[in-house]
Amino acid sequence: DAGVIQSPRHEVTEMGQEVTLRCKLISGHNSLFWYRQTMMRGLELLIYFNNNVPIDDSGMPEDRFSAKMPNASFSTLKIQPSEPRDSAVYFCASSLGQRWGSPLHFGNGTRLTVT
Amino acid sequence: AQKITQTQPGMFVQEKEAVTLDCTYDTSDPSYGLFWYKQPSSGEMIFLIYQGSYDQQNATEGRYSLNFQKARKSANLVISASQLGDSAMYFCAMSLDDTGNQFYFGTGTSLTVIP
C-alpha cells in the first residue's frame, strides 16, 4: 500500500510568494494532520481534520496559513504571502482515527525555504 | 504543561549493544496510547511501536520493545543489538481522547550508534 504522499519534497520561494503544499492520505484513513518541524520549536501541530472537517486549527500561526480537505484523500496547506520565518519542514500525517490506538503515518515532508 | 518528557537530548551506544531511551508522560486520563517514532537524517518520520494503556504486556516489534511502567508513567524504548542504521532522532508520543486525534510529541532523543 502506498503511504502518505506529499509534494513537493523541496520548495524554495521568495518572500511574498504563495506556497501550496499537497498531501494524499493513505486509503481508508479518515484523520489528517499537518505538522511543522523546526529546530527551535520541534514538531508543532498546525491543524487536523476528521472526515474532511477541520477539528482544531488552533496551531495555525496566522491568517496567512490556510488548509483545505476537498475530498477524503487529499489536502492542501497554503501560505500566502510567505515569509522567511515560515521556513521549516512541513509534514502531513494520516490515521484511522480510531481511538487512541491509531498511529500517525507521516509523509516524507516538504522542506520549505523562503528567502 | 508538558505531556511528554524526553530528558536525554543525545545518547551514544556501541554497535550490537542495547540502549534505552527514556520517556515519561503526564495524563490523568485512564485511556491513552503511547508511540515511538524514528526520524533518520533523511527526515521521514517512521512509526516504530505502540503501547495501549490497558495492555498488560509490554509491546515488542523486532528489536524494539517498550518498557511500560504505568505507575511511574514511563514508556521507555529499548533497542536491542544496535545497528549503525539505528542512528536517528527518536520521538515519544501520546494519544488521548476517544477519537485518538490528540497527539503529543516529546522533544526527541538523538541516538548515535558507534561502530
Side-chain angles (χ1 to χ4, degrees):
Chain A
D1 283 341
V4 174
I5 300 172
Q6 289 188 248
S7 64
R9 288 297 309 274
H10 301 274
E11 177 79 35
V12 180
T13 191
E14 291 183 348
M15 183 174 64
Q17 297 297 307
E18 176 182 304
V19 175
T20 300
L21 311 182
R22 295 174 175 79
C23 173
K24 185 175 186 300
L25 283 68
I26 292 173
S27 177
H29 283 193
N30 60 6
S31 292
L32 182 280
F33 302 72
W34 281 102
Y35 282 89
R36 177 170 69 176
Q37 186 179 38
T38 60
M39 289 292 291
M40 290 294 294
R41 301 171 72 98
L43 265 171
E44 301 174 275
L45 177 64
L46 300 177
I47 186 170
Y48 79 84
F49 295 81
N50 186 253
N51 292 322
N52 305 1
V53 176
I55 303 299
D56 183 356
D57 65 355
S58 60
M60 296 286 262
E62 48 200 90
D63 291 345
R64 297 184 297 107
F65 285 68
S66 62
K68 293 182 180 179
M69 201 166 170
N71 58 54
S73 60
F74 186 72
S75 177
T76 59
L77 177 69
K78 184 180 291 187
I79 309 172
Q80 182 185 21
S82 58
E83 297 182 3
R85 60 189 166 129
D86 301 331
S87 297
V89 179
Y90 291 80
F91 285 103
C92 168
S94 71
S95 80
L96 287 169
Q98 294 174 354
R99 306 176 71 85
W100 46 85
S102 300
L104 299 185
H105 295 269
F106 285 80
N108 286 335
T110 295
R111 183 173 295 276
L112 173 64
T113 303
V114 183
T115 60
Chain B
Q2 192 82 347
K3 291 195 179 289
I4 294 285
T5 302
Q6 294 180 254
T7 57
Q8 307 155 313
M11 290 280 288
F12 292 86
V13 64
Q14 204 73 38
E15 194 178 5
K16 301 180 185 175
E17 297 292 311
V19 63
T20 298
L21 307 184
D22 294 343
C23 172
T24 57
Y25 59 92
D26 179 26
T27 182
S28 56
D29 193 321
S31 305
Y32 50 89
L34 297 160
F35 305 82
W36 277 91
Y37 287 83
K38 173 184 179 182
Q39 187 175 37
S41 58
S42 50
E44 68 270 31
M45 290 281 283
I46 303 165
F47 165 63
L48 294 178
I49 195 167
Y50 160 77
Q51 179 86 41
S53 58
Y54 296 113
D55 293 342
Q56 297 293 317
Q57 305 253 10
N58 286 343
T60 60
E61 286 288 345
R63 294 185 299 109
Y64 304 110
S65 61
L66 200 153
N67 184 0
F68 182 43
Q69 298 188 44
K70 198 169 185 176
R72 297 181 61 184
K73 294 190 177 180
S74 74
N76 298 339
L77 177 70
V78 180
I79 306 174
S80 62
S82 298
Q83 301 172 355
L84 296 178
D86 294 334
S87 294
M89 281 290 288
Y90 289 82
F91 293 92
C92 180
M94 175 172 65
S95 173
L96 297 178
D97 87 36
D98 60 359
T99 60
N101 281 333
Q102 292 286 350
F103 262 77
Y104 300 91
F105 282 87
T107 52
T109 295
S110 175
L111 176 67
T112 302
V113 180
I114 304 166

